[in-house]
Amino acid sequence: MASERDVRARLQRAGQEHLLRFCAELAPGPRAALLAELGALEPEALREHCRRAAAACAHPPGPPPDLAARLRPLPPECVGSASRCDPEMRRLWEEEGFRQIALNKVAVLLLAGGQGTRLGVTYPKGMYQVGLPSQKTLYQLQAERIQRVEQLAGQRHGTRCTIPWYIMTSEFTLGPTAKFFKERDFFHLDPNNVIMFEQRMLPAVTFDGRAILEQKDKVAMAPDGNGGLYCALSDHQILEDMGRRGVEFVHVYCVDNILVRLADPVFIGFCVLRGADCGAKVVEKAYPEEPVGVVCQVDGVPQVVEYSEISPETAQLRGPDGSLLYNLGNICNHFFTRDFLQMVSSEFEPLLKPHVAVKKVPYVDEEGNPVKPIKPNGIKMEKFVFDVFQFAKSFVAFEVSREEEFSPLKNAASAARDNPATTRCALLTQHYRWALQAGAHFLDACGARLPEPPSLPGSREPPAICEISPLVSYSGEGLEKYLRGREFWSPLILDENQARALQP
Ligand SMILES: CC(=O)N[C@H]1[C@@H](OP(=O)(O)OP(=O)(O)OC[C@H]2O[C@@H](n3ccc(=O)[nH]c3=O)[C@H](O)[C@@H]2O)O[C@H](CO)[C@@H](O)[C@@H]1O
């Protein structure tokens, strides 16, 4: 362990010696923990981090004044669509995706290092359950979709295949996530194919460039953003692991979208057949202020302009047909080739510019009293996963249906949107739709058939409760044999047991 003298000397080099100001009064345990935390910070990197944070703060808040002039929509030839394409084309994409999965060339990578502050839980978001009849958590739904899509690819190609699941965690989420998976027997996945690794943490900094002490013995640290992925891939030799397994294509996604299609064969196949090295799934933006990034071009290269960085005027611009000019909403589902990830991690990562978030960061005052600030007092710097799009040789965006593929859990129940109730409703409405399409009918308490609306938006509660296990159906396929022409009372829970019972 580094001595106090060593740590002090390193902090002096970084201009951050104040972090030791309570060190002398700490008991041996907390003192050792603080020294260990500080000893791990590389002095030059820390100095640069604090300098950058203070410099960023000197700029006026909001989007750069010239950004609007540098923005263009993505050229149409870079954009594919799952819903507005020839069905035969879609079938070919799907076929190609399944082929790559069956060849064990596809992995999924979950970004799960975030703190879920808006949702207001103290545990990782993936452990949240939104109140489905099955009480499944987001992690369980994802694990089961992996198993089902492996099974579908295997059946088509007469083989057994594996989609490794890489999970990027942070200091906040690694322990509880690992414990959760272990306690649930990895949801019946082979633990060798679930690979957790940790992203780096960075100190929060005051507006004048001083790292913040959160407690006398603890620096205020935060994960380095989901773009911390690229350092974390190098830190933990993840690309080498992928190489050993023969993985060529990686589907990277964020934890909170209850409808996420892991390793979606249609998306993978589209990207592969287009020869893309980098791709993003998008949905049409619902309204100008929707908190999703927009996929577009800045200075002629593909980029996402984050919702926090676009001006309201630009977000509201409309094209000649009346639709939003910047309407490709990023849903944080990305496709990368392993070669591209390799190139980014080894060459381009240092070029990624951190984004600045001004936050209320709890701290200790000069007397050592804990303070919960009422207005923002600090800066957190984060890299964003999509900032690598600019380095792509062949970038594509792929538009999918919001109803089928995007309902994120961002907020606590008190918020109007993207909360536990809206995500639960989106999933149950989807399953109800799938059941009707497969020929099921639902009955009311008196045994009369419930009306079957021709279309059902995910924002409306379905007339009957129907939950279909991802182990039974990944995207609505294969349900006719259980449901066609049959009548059900609500709730219908179509899990594997029920499916066996209904099998003709
Ligand atoms: C930077 C980014 O991708 N922004 C996207 C993200 O916004 P949004 O602001 O919702 O992003 P979140 O903070 O939820 O993070 C997205 C994902 O990254 C993970 N995470 C976050 C921080 C971190 O240090 N480590 C980490 O792994 C989170 O656990 C989550 O799985 O999702 C929206 C769709 O839902 C998109 O429209 C936004 O463009």
Side-chain angles (χ1 to χ4, degrees):
M1 195 193 74
S3 70
E4 182 178 334
R5 236 180 74 199
D6 288 347
V7 173
R8 194 173 291 280
R10 288 164 72 89
L11 289 176
Q12 258 165 4
R13 270 171 37 219
Q16 302 295 326
E17 209 188 335
H18 65 280
L19 294 174
L20 282 176
R21 66 186 189 277
F22 299 108
C23 189
E25 61 184 83
L26 295 174
R31 194 156 164 270
L34 178 67
L35 291 176
E37 184 174 42
L38 294 172
L41 298 172
E42 212 277 307
E44 270 66 44
L46 178 60
R47 167 180 285 282
E48 181 56 14
H49 169 71
C50 295
R51 187 198 64 74
R52 274 183 155 191
C57 213
H59 293 300
D66 60 339
L67 181 66
R70 295 157 55 205
L71 281 190
R72 295 284 174 278
L74 219 54
E77 60 275 16
C78 298
V79 188
S81 168
S83 43
R84 282 178 285 133
C85 69
D86 168 16
E88 177 54 17
M89 203 61 230
R90 193 180 189 286
R91 199 193 60 72
L92 289 176
W93 294 333
E94 186 179 48
E95 184 55 46
E96 176 64 13
F98 275 128
R99 196 174 75 82
Q100 298 297 348
I101 293 170
L103 290 168
N104 293 314
K105 288 192 177 180
V106 178
V108 289
L109 192 155
L110 166 60
L111 304 167
Q115 289 172 276
T117 335
R118 279 175 285 168
L119 182 60
V121 292
T122 51
Y123 52 84
K125 245 193 206 182
M127 287 163 50
Y128 196 86
Q129 59 127 328
V130 299
L132 293 170
S134 66
Q135 306 201 331
K136 286 178 186 172
T137 58
L138 294 174
Y139 281 149
Q140 183 169 357
L141 293 170
Q142 294 173 18
E144 293 184 353
R145 287 188 193 132
I146 294 179
Q147 289 168 61
R148 175 69 183 166
V149 80
E150 285 174 346
Q151 187 191 38
L152 290 171
Q155 279 166 1
R156 279 183 184 229
H157 291 272
T159 160
R160 271 179 66 100
C161 55
T162 302
I163 300 173
W165 191 6
Y166 295 90
I167 304 182
M168 183 175 81
T169 57
S170 65
E171 191 180 296
F172 297 120
T173 59
L174 177 61
T177 303
K179 184 163 173 272
F180 192 74
F181 272 65
K182 232 179 173 165
E183 282 168 359
R184 281 151 189 83
D185 194 21
F186 287 78
F187 306 104
H188 308 296
L189 290 163
D190 179 346
N192 292 319
N193 299 327
V194 181
I195 304 103
M196 295 186 195
F197 60 103
E198 215 176 320
Q199 67 179 110
R200 298 183 189 178
M201 304 282 283
L202 288 172
V205 176
T206 58
F207 301 146
D208 56 358
R210 285 156 63 89
I212 298 176
L213 261 189
E214 184 180 320
Q215 298 162 15
K216 287 181 178 179
D217 58 352
K218 177 131 196 38
V219 184
M221 300 286 274
D224 58 353
N226 59 13
L229 170 67
Y230 307 104
C231 273
L233 289 176
S234 308
D235 289 350
H236 304 282
Q237 290 93 45
I238 297 299
L239 295 171
E240 289 75 358
D241 184 85
M242 289 182 182
R244 280 193 294 277
R245 293 169 188 260
V247 168
E248 297 292 342
F249 309 113
V250 187
H251 173 211
V252 174
Y253 70 100
C254 81
V255 71
D256 54 28
N257 176 11
I258 198 166
L259 303 181
V260 63
R261 293 196 177 166
L262 289 97
D264 175 13
V266 184
F267 179 45
I268 304 280
F270 170 78
C271 293
V272 172
L273 289 175
R274 281 286 188 102
D277 50 2
C278 178
K281 241 190 207 187
V282 294
V283 296
E284 199 177 320
K285 258 182 88 169
Y287 53 98
E289 310 75 33
E290 186 183 15
V292 291
V294 292
V295 183
C296 57
Q297 285 189 336
V298 179
D299 301 328
V301 289
Q303 203 160 311
V304 175
V305 177
E306 190 61 319
Y307 56 91
S308 49
E309 297 177 353
I310 194 166
S311 71
E313 297 75 34
T314 309
Q316 278 164 16
L317 290 176
R318 291 191 181 266
D321 64 352
S323 64
L324 291 174
L325 188 60
Y326 297 107
N327 71 345
L328 302 183
N330 175 37
I331 60 169
C332 201
N333 267 247
H334 308 311
F335 166 92
F336 298 115
T337 62
R338 179 168 56 88
D339 288 347
F340 180 77
L341 290 174
Q342 187 68 60
M343 192 178 69
V344 168
S345 298
S346 56
E347 282 178 51
F348 296 130
E349 196 288 327
L351 304 180
L352 298 179
K353 291 205 179 70
H355 299 251
V356 175
V358 178
K359 305 255 178 177
K360 293 181 217 158
V361 184
Y363 65 99
V364 284
D365 65 14
E366 287 311 313
E367 281 74 52
N369 305 310
V371 183
K372 269 200 160 182
I374 42 173
K375 57 181 198 327
N377 61 323
I379 305 164
K380 289 187 179 171
M381 304 266 275
E382 295 193 330
K383 291 188 171 177
F384 289 169
V385 65
F386 49 64
D387 276 346
V388 301
F389 291 178
Q390 57 182 311
F391 307 119
K393 292 199 181 71
S394 170
F395 175 82
V396 289
F398 190 61
E399 196 207 331
V400 296
S401 137
R402 173 185 293 265
E403 283 191 339
E404 285 293 328
E405 300 207 29
F406 184 54
S407 179
L409 175 64
K410 303 283 183 195
N411 306 314
S414 52
R417 297 179 210 262
D418 301 342
N419 63 32
T422 59
T423 47
R424 180 179 60 241
C425 179
L427 187 86
L428 293 178
T429 306
Q430 178 187 59
H431 290 185
Y432 176 78
R433 264 196 319 265
W434 289 354
L436 290 192
Q437 280 158 13
H441 304 285
F442 289 88
L443 304 176
D444 67 14
C446 311
R449 275 196 188 178
L450 286 166
E452 292 167 8
S455 75
L456 245 186
S459 52
R460 279 236 320 267
E461 289 284 343
I465 301 285
C466 169
E467 184 184 349
I468 301 173
S469 164
L471 295 170
V472 174
S473 185
Y474 172 81
S475 58
E477 80 291 340
L479 295 172
E480 291 81 0
K481 62 177 175 290
Y482 313 120
L483 304 181
R484 177 159 302 286
R486 288 194 152 123
E487 294 184 324
F488 299 96
W489 268 285
S490 173
L492 166 62
I493 315 293
L494 184 53
D495 57 14
E496 281 178 300
N497 289 334
Q498 180 68 7
R500 261 190 296 275
L502 289 169
Q503 187 117 31

